Amino acid sequence: MLSRSCCSAVAKPAFFLVHQDLPARLPWRPNLPLRSRRDRRVWQISRSQTSVSERNSPSSPDGPNRVRLGRRDRGSSSSSTSLYSRPSLAEMKSARMENRAMVYEFLRGIGVVPDELDGLDLPVTVEVMRERIDFLHNLGLTIEDINNYPLVLGCSVKKNMIPVLDYLGKLGVRKSTLVEFLRRYPQVLHASVVVDLAPVVKYLQGMDIKPNDVPRVLEKYPEVLGFKLEGTMSTSVAYLIGIGVGRREIGGVLTRYPEILGMRVGRVIKPFVEYLEYLGVPRLAVARLIEKSPHILGFGLDDTVIPNVESLIEFHVRRTQVPSVVVQYPEIIGTDLKPKLLNQRSLLGSITELNDEEFGRVVERMPQVVSLSNTATVKHVDFLKDCGFSLQQVKDMVVGCPQLLALNIDIMKLSFDYFRKEMGRPLEDLVAFPSFFTYGLESTVKPRHRRIAKKGLKCSLAWLLNCSDEKFKERMDYDSIDLEEMDALPSFDMNRYMKPGSDDESESDYDDEDDEEFV
């Protein structure tokens, strides 16, 4: 009974009556009875294996291959319309290379050389690259600027450029300076506002740079935004304080010359300071010099400073006076000096008959003479000649007080008229003390002359003028004139220069700014 029912169940399946395209080989024989449970189990396993074989067989028209493609068939034409097809890694790499080639072709077409961009992550489409180029053009950058730093093309407009530019604008960086800012430091467009820029700005404010001055500092030296706080910036400031630059002066020093923040102490600042000390400039005087003219640290030591010092000595400036020359006029060691010395010596030699030694004395007493224009020099010499001084007297006056070549001639005329008409002194007095012209007529000359005239004293111009107001009051109490003080001449005082705040507290013979106008 059991055998008969099994055979009947296998012999009459409905599936076989509908589908006639059965596989050529069948793993079972429907006419044979399954005599045991073991036989039935073997039959089921065989049927399962046959089903798997049908699915994997390419000859099976009704198999799953008609719906789901295998990896081998993805390149066939029939697979192009499959919903389940995905490009291979090779195909994706090929597509990226094609897109990059089109971007490079676009860049070359507008004049950009993309040779340095091979390792850079660039936009995948020409449209996005064109957007970046247009944005940079709107900022004012040219194709030449982009070629100078092509890596800027790796900056996203929305993620990089706009946040950085917004931050700079909020700080106060002016639009008129932005183009030059980006030309000098295009790397800023790669920076993170929070991680890179904001800490540097905070550091600058901590150096007593006023908030309103921070944008000016960035405009002068945008490269500072790329420095590490614990690196060059901190060491350069610490060194300056160590040699005597006042802590309260650091903010002003950095505001006027922020390039100091990028200078290496061992390679730039320290050798410069030590060379000035070698010349004879005291360290505190160097500190005062940096406070007043911090840009001198940017003078190239080997290329400019040392050759200029040698030129001064060559033109008969005494070596012992070189420190005074440098402190009086620090620009003299940073300019193209030798041509200026040649020009001025030739001019003064032709119009006043100065010899080389006398020219050296002129430079020692007023180093700024090397920067005077020929027209101004000739004009002042002609004025002295018109006053009645002989050529020899003019030469003596110029050697004794070279400042005569730079004073305001209109003020000099007023002083000379008062000297002749009110003071009634001979011209020889001016030859002996030509610095008379450097004192304020209303503030110094007139009130002092009236006092000695009232007291009936006879004195030299040097005794009358070459002293502070306090010292003059003391002299008015004298019963007689000290002859040692009569011949005193004004000179540069290095010790007074080294005092902090010496500019404000100075009693210099040439500090009357109202009447001392240089041309």
Side-chain angles (χ1 to χ4, degrees), residues 216-249:
R216 305 293 86 81
V217 168
L218 298 180
E219 290 171 358
K220 290 179 182 178
Y221 192 52
E223 293 88 345
V224 72
L225 290 171
F227 295 151
K228 294 181 179 180
L229 305 184
E230 67 278 6
T232 304
M233 290 199 295
S234 60
T235 55
S236 59
V237 171
Y239 180 81
L240 292 180
I241 293 174
I243 66 171
V245 174
R247 292 181 180 272
R248 294 182 179 179
E249 303 295 330

Side-chain angles (χ1 to χ4, degrees), residues 110-140:
I110 63 175
V112 175
V113 181
D115 296 349
E116 299 181 28
L117 304 179
D118 288 344
L120 193 65
D121 186 17
L122 294 178
V124 295
T125 65
V126 171
E127 288 73 18
V128 177
M129 179 57 77
R130 181 181 288 109
E131 177 189 3
R132 292 188 184 181
I133 294 290
D134 291 342
F135 188 84
L136 294 172
H137 280 334
N138 290 334
L139 292 177

